Amino acid sequence: MIDLRLLREDPDLIRASQRLRGESTDLVDDLLRADAERRAATQRFEAVRAEQRSIGKEVAKASGDERAALLTRTKDLAVEVKAAEAAAGEAEQALKRAHMAVSNVVEGAPPGGEDDFVVLREVGDLPQIENPKDHLEIGEALRAIDTERGAKVSGSRFYFLTGVGALLQLGMLQLAIQQAVEHGFIPSITPTLVRPESMEGTGYLGAHASEVYRLEADDLYLVGTSEVALAAYHSNEILDLDGPRRYAGWSSCYRREAGSHGKDVRGILRVHQFDKVEMFSFCRPEDAAEEHQRLLAMEEEMLAKVEIPYRVIDVAAGDLGSSAVRKFDCEAWVPSQNRYREVTSTSNTTTFQARRLNIRYRDDNGKPQTVATLNGTLATTRWLIPILENHQQPDGSVRVPKALQPFLGGRDVLEPFK
């Protein structure tokens, strides 16, 4: 949620952000109105309750007609207090709904929509591969990826990773955790089922609700990223922050991929289940922009270790999720498609998620303030695509990047299990 003080002081800033996102400015007016109505309802409730308490004290001292009149007024006030309390509660709920509807305030992102990103840099030389095979053809030949049996067992967009495919993913994720620990991140294996308030607190029950799996009988949600569990880890807490508190969460992730029917159906690019190591930081708001660059540098370090060409893009405002004020994506080169495809994202969500989840820190004066939160992908199943394709050899084998070799039993080439 955005800061209501900022809304009151500069509503035009919020309206401008909504326009950059391609979202309605009416939502800002709705929030302003709900905020004013909630404050008025609260003041009304407090006023009649204060009068009720005052008269209660007077009744004890009064007698005769005066006491009778005060008792009559007391009865009337009891009705008024109950009604005012109910009205204040309704106004509070209306404010919450209006507050949840307004996205975070964009900071520095380019204007435009999905195709209006800005390329910040391209890193690495594109491999010269004659008639490159795609990752599925490579993976099937190595007996590393099995989408046919995945579909037989679970349906479309499911798969098995077997043999060197399983080893490659496990090695990549272990390399990511190793790097994270070296940089001071706390490793964590997180729950993949979370309560509604955790999902709502991170902003995934708004525009992205259709992508989320829900276990209705238990009122739990399957996460699409460990960001959700890591963000909620410190909900309703006050943290002691000497510096950013950083976590690296390893989890399986689940996405319905609603709205992507017929899109990227081949292979493992767009699937319902995958594994990921996600970085998550809690820091002071004034440190958030610097922390964002740190997470991006971590992603680039990992991409360098697996030796694949990539580019970094600054995502346009109209393509940001509701929680993010700015997002950088790393896109890896995929030879079979002759294009870059997204493999990491890192988002600065400032105080938006923490305000929903009630996560605070004590400032230098000991006063509780809302923390900033940031997240970023460090490695995920999708990375197998550019790793297999960029390192494919003419004989059908795949070269293993040097940094991954210790995690694959010293293998320098991927070959099928015998």
Side-chain angles (χ1 to χ4, degrees):
M1 295 185 288
I2 65 169
D3 189 342
L4 287 177
R5 289 175 299 179
L6 179 62
L7 172 78
R8 296 164 193 154
E9 293 168 3
D10 195 354
D12 285 340
L13 176 67
I14 316 300
R15 292 188 183 98
S17 176
Q18 289 289 103
R19 284 191 289 269
L20 280 171
R21 288 178 174 275
E23 297 176 6
S24 174
T25 58
D26 291 345
L27 296 174
V28 180
D29 297 324
D30 292 343
L31 180 54
L32 282 166
R33 182 167 53 254
D35 180 42
E37 290 174 354
R38 189 280 306 264
R39 285 190 286 169
T42 300
Q43 290 169 1
R44 168 64 180 161
F45 169 58
E46 291 174 348
V48 294
R49 187 172 59 176
E51 184 182 355
Q52 184 186 45
R53 289 172 176 169
S54 176
I55 289 180
K57 294 177 181 178
E58 293 178 24
V59 168
K61 302 175 183 178
S63 59
D65 292 343
E66 181 185 5
R67 181 181 176 84
L70 287 172
L71 287 172
T72 299
R73 178 59 181 150
T74 298
K75 292 178 182 178
D76 293 341
L77 276 173
V79 175
E80 291 181 33
V81 167
K82 187 175 182 180
E85 184 176 20
E90 291 172 4
E92 184 69 39
Q93 289 304 309
L95 174 61
K96 182 181 178 181
R97 289 192 296 271
H99 207 174
M100 290 285 192
V102 177
S103 298
N104 208 350
V105 183
V106 175
E107 292 180 9
E114 182 179 359
D115 297 325
D116 297 309
F117 57 83
V118 172
V119 177
L120 300 180
R121 54 188 167 274
E122 296 182 355
V123 180
D125 297 325
L126 304 185
Q128 302 302 310
I129 304 172
E130 187 175 350
N131 299 319
K133 299 175 181 177
D134 75 2
H135 73 280
L136 185 57
E137 185 177 356
I138 297 167
E140 288 177 338
L142 291 172
R143 297 196 290 276
I145 301 172
D146 193 335
T147 56
E148 184 177 339
R149 289 187 175 92
K152 179 179 71 173
V153 171
S154 302
S156 64
R157 298 190 187 276
F158 285 94
Y159 57 95
F160 282 85
L161 295 179
T162 57
V164 291
L167 291 180
L168 182 59
Q169 170 162 293
L170 288 169
M172 175 188 64
L173 296 177
Q174 288 180 77
L175 177 62
I177 288 291
Q178 181 187 76
Q179 177 182 306
V181 171
E182 289 171 352
H183 285 273
F185 287 72
I186 300 168
S188 178
I189 296 175
T190 63
T192 55
L193 284 166
V194 299
R195 292 176 169 174
E197 52 266 33
S198 300
M199 193 67 79
E200 183 180 63
T202 44
Y204 284 99
L205 291 186
H208 297 283
S210 63
E211 298 175 15
V212 179
Y213 285 106
R214 182 187 178 202
L215 278 66
E216 189 170 355
D218 301 297
D219 199 19
L220 293 171
Y221 290 87
L222 281 165
V223 299
T225 167
S226 59
E227 170 196 343
V228 178
L230 291 171
Y233 184 61
H234 287 301
S235 59
N236 300 311
E237 293 182 21
I238 299 178
L239 307 179
D240 292 322
L241 285 182
D242 295 328
R245 186 173 297 189
R246 305 181 178 104
Y247 295 90
W250 181 331
S251 75
S252 292
C253 306
Y254 304 87
R255 295 182 184 174
R256 292 187 62 238
E257 293 294 348
S260 60
H261 178 73
K263 185 177 182 181
D264 295 322
V265 294
R266 181 173 168 80
I268 60 171
L269 181 66
R270 194 180 295 273
V271 292
H272 291 308
Q273 178 183 336
F274 55 95
D275 286 274
K276 183 166 65 143
V277 172
E278 180 82 358
M279 300 176 288
F280 199 89
S281 294
F282 300 89
C283 68
R284 297 184 178 220
E286 61 268 26
D287 298 331
E290 181 180 350
E291 185 69 3
H292 199 192
Q293 292 295 328
R294 183 185 181 93
L295 296 187
L296 176 59
M298 288 284 291
E299 294 174 342
E300 292 193 70
E301 183 178 336
M302 264 298 293
L303 287 166
K305 285 177 177 175
V306 297
E307 302 171 28
I308 51 179
Y310 66 92
R311 70 180 183 184
V312 180
I313 67 169
D314 195 352
V315 176
D319 197 28
L320 294 174
S322 62
S323 299
V325 303
R326 197 171 190 184
K327 183 173 78 163
F328 302 116
D329 285 355
C330 290
E331 299 181 332
W333 180 252
V334 179
S336 68
Q337 298 183 22
N338 197 38
R339 61 181 291 200
Y340 291 98
R341 301 302 301 258
E342 177 200 330
V343 288
T344 78
S345 290
T346 177
S347 297
N348 179 5
T349 62
T350 59
T351 59
F352 189 85
Q353 293 177 333
R355 187 168 284 107
R356 290 184 174 201
L357 293 165
N358 189 31
I359 309 170
R360 296 176 292 170
Y361 72 99
R362 295 194 186 279
D363 65 17
D364 295 338
N365 297 317
K367 184 179 179 181
Q369 305 285 358
T370 306
V371 303
T373 61
L374 303 95
N375 61 80
T377 314
L378 195 53
T380 187
T381 299
R382 183 180 285 195
W383 285 38
L384 301 186
I385 298 171
I387 291 173
L388 292 174
E389 292 200 18
N390 282 282
H391 298 309
Q392 62 182 290
Q393 304 298 304
D395 64 359
S397 65
V398 173
R399 183 178 64 83
V400 179
K402 186 175 181 180
L404 280 174
Q405 291 175 14
F407 299 96
L408 277 85
R411 290 175 175 82
D412 57 2
V413 173
L414 294 181
E415 296 175 331
F417 268 45
K418 303 298 185 183

